[in-house]
Amino acid sequence: MPAAEAGQTGLRAADPSVLRVGSVYVGVQSVGDGIVVRQAASPDGLASAPAQPIWSAAGSDVWAPEIVVDGGRFYVYFAAGAGNARRMYVISSVSADRGYTTNAIQLALPDNKWAIDGTLFTFNGQRWFVWSGWAGDTNVEQNLYIARMSTPTTPTGPRYIISQPRESWERVVGDPYVNEAPEVIKDPNGQLHVVYSANGSWSDQYCLADLRLRAGGDPTYVWDWYKSNGCLFGSNRATMMTGWDPTLHANGPGHHSFVLLNGDIATSPPAGPRFPLVYHAVPKDMPYTWANRFWYTGTFCWWGSTTYSRANVPGANTNTGWGLKFFE
């Protein structure tokens, strides 16, 4: 079966961020120094929808815009800047495709370090921001961090590390080793998940893995998070978690978007049916390069009684709950 039949769209681009507003699907995409919005009646339709520019700045080199709805307003978070000066910024509007603030606000993330792939969500009545960043000022590894937000544009308090690329299956390619592109969802038990991309995006080892917060856990306490024992969506069998199969048609699936109503984790899907997923990948019949990444549409569902195990750390060695299955 050709790759195009397995969810490949005609949009040659990376880092999709898609949500549903009523019956309309809204996606944002970086285009060099700017950001465009597309709107369509289906996730597949986004690829052929007109690209509406919403923001640009010369020399900004925008990465991975993320569209979020909070309080009826649209916020687009993105990374911009050169080298170790790359930071998270945000623009906002009352409309999905126009009227965004011209001057982007730089988020005053705690410690003011290199940061990409940030997104906002609300859990248990508290706004949170989760992103990928550096511990210091050098490109050693990309970790996942979380911080509280007092408003959609105002971080408050310290940052807390919740994941580092320390497992063998997420260290297949390095320089640096990578945890990035966190996307948040809530499972049928109400537990929080951060599904992220591991291994370098320049490699077909790029894949999705899961962090599950234990029931009643503290999002700021790293040992309350349990990590899947391998990739849950990837193209290499050697790095897949036992019981999960590699992709057949797409190489290096990653940097995904759970397509939720208003992007709200309170609308996370129940157990049972499959729900829309958008991700980027490279067709298996093409060389694996950044230039050959396409947006793909797929589906996902919750997978019950999934045990994540660990050793030599505080807390219980195993945690059983909902995992996720992804489908091309």
Side-chain angles (χ1 to χ4, degrees), residues 11 17 26-31 34-39 49-56 62 65 67 76 96-97 100 295:
L11 185 56
S17 175
V26 180
V28 291
Q29 173 198 349
S30 63
V31 285
I35 303 169
V36 299
V37 168
R38 299 171 187 270
Q39 297 187 97
Q52 175 67 34
I54 59 168
W55 187 87
S56 66
V62 172
I67 188 166
V76 176
D97 65 339
Y100 282 84
W295 282 20

Side-chain angles (χ1 to χ4, degrees), residues 35 54-55 66-70 72-78 89-105 120 152-153:
I35 303 169
I54 59 168
W55 187 87
E66 184 83 8
I67 188 166
V68 171
V69 179
D70 185 289
R73 192 171 180 88
F74 293 89
Y75 294 85
V76 176
Y77 299 89
F78 60 94
Y89 294 82
V90 61
I91 55 176
S92 66
S93 176
V94 294
S95 300
D97 65 339
R98 61 177 61 85
Y100 282 84
T101 45
T102 306
N103 295 321
I105 297 170
L120 180 83
T153 59

Side-chain angles (χ1 to χ4, degrees), residues 306-328:
T306 302
T307 298
Y308 299 161
S309 60
R310 62 191 190 187
N312 305 316
V313 297
N317 286 338
T318 61
N319 181 271
T320 300
W322 290 100
L324 300 105
K325 287 273 187 176
F326 297 95
F327 304 91
E328 292 180 88

Side-chain angles (χ1 to χ4, degrees), residues 69 121-125 184-188 190 192 260-270:
V69 179
F121 67 97
T122 298
F123 180 65
N124 288 344
V184 183
I185 195 164
K186 197 163 64 171
D187 73 26
L192 194 63
L260 304 177
L261 179 62
N262 297 320
D264 185 357
I265 66 169
T267 66
S268 293

Side-chain angles (χ1 to χ4, degrees), residues 101 119 122 148 152 157 197 211 214 218 274 281-282 288:
T101 45
T119 190
T122 298
R148 292 179 174 87
S197 297
L211 294 173
R214 71 171 181 84
D218 176 358
R274 295 188 188 184
V282 174
Y288 195 94

Side-chain angles (χ1 to χ4, degrees), residues 3 40 63 71 86 95 97 106 118 194 198 205 215 249 254 261 322:
W63 288 5
R86 188 166 289 276
S95 300
D97 65 339
Q106 180 180 333
V194 174
Q205 295 285 346
H249 309 287
L261 179 62
W322 290 100

